[in-house]
Amino acid sequence: MDYAIEVRRTPIHLKMLTGEEIDAAAFVHPVGHADYRPESVGDRLNDPEAQFLPCEIDGEKYLVRLESVSYVVTREVVPEVESMETVGAIHSQVELWLHSGERLHGDLIYEAERGEERVSDMLNRSRSRFLVLIHGDRTYFVLRNAVDRVKV
């Protein structure tokens, strides 16, 4: 007997801390998020209880350790950004310098309390494992622990 949970496949590109690049499809739940919307890749990445991301890679099912992922890229509109926009998200142009030597730049998007809008406030206080960076039509979810420095 097979036990199956309904999932939705979301195309992603993984950049691992080792430098390996992987095209995959992340499995996310089609319903049940707190905002009454389908679960997104970002929701799964920042779930404090999740340690692995269920994916399909080359037609095989894998569980990818989140702390081994430098960043995840998607071209889909991510609902958590839309949710943050409704409450007045902060947009800060930044350049992220990663452990690998790679640099990513774009709009860092985050929520902030009044008086704590600076990038440094968010980096030091946020509990999100992955930061949200928008560049063109791509959304990057960057592992906070993969970032060496941030140019603001």
Side-chain angles (χ1 to χ4, degrees), residues 95-148:
E95 185 173 12
L96 304 177
W97 297 50
L98 307 182
H99 293 316
S100 64
E102 191 170 3
R103 296 180 195 177
L104 302 174
H105 65 280
D107 272 346
L108 189 63
I109 300 177
Y110 54 95
E111 295 177 41
E113 298 291 326
R114 184 176 300 274
E116 296 184 358
E117 296 93 353
R118 299 176 306 174
V119 172
S120 61
D121 294 328
M122 184 277 299
L123 290 172
N124 288 315
R125 292 188 176 92
S126 173
R127 289 183 174 82
S128 296
R129 180 182 351 201
F130 284 83
L131 308 173
V132 179
L133 184 76
I134 305 290
H135 181 79
D137 66 343
R138 297 180 182 179
T139 301
Y140 291 78
F141 294 97
V142 183
L143 180 68
R144 172 190 302 273
N145 291 338
V147 176
D148 275 336

Side-chain angles (χ1 to χ4, degrees), residues 42-137:
D43 296 329
R44 182 61 66 96
L45 294 172
N46 281 315
D47 179 345
E49 295 181 13
Q51 298 298 310
F52 290 84
L53 180 66
C55 293
E56 183 175 77
I57 302 169
D58 294 329
E60 302 284 334
K61 293 179 180 78
Y62 287 86
L63 297 171
V64 177
R65 183 172 167 75
L66 293 175
E67 292 295 329
S68 296
V69 174
S70 181
Y71 59 84
V72 175
V73 184
T74 182
R75 288 181 181 243
E76 290 191 354
V77 176
V78 292
E80 55 267 49
V81 171
E82 292 176 348
S83 295
M84 284 191 283
E85 293 290 0
T86 62
V87 295
I90 306 296
H91 291 250
S92 296
Q93 276 287 320
V94 298
E95 185 173 12
L96 304 177
W97 297 50
L98 307 182
H99 293 316
S100 64
E102 191 170 3
R103 296 180 195 177
L104 302 174
H105 65 280
D107 272 346
L108 189 63
I109 300 177
Y110 54 95
E111 295 177 41
E113 298 291 326
R114 184 176 300 274
E116 296 184 358
E117 296 93 353
R118 299 176 306 174
V119 172
S120 61
D121 294 328
M122 184 277 299
L123 290 172
N124 288 315
R125 292 188 176 92
S126 173
R127 289 183 174 82
S128 296
R129 180 182 351 201
F130 284 83
L131 308 173
V132 179
L133 184 76
I134 305 290
H135 181 79
D137 66 343

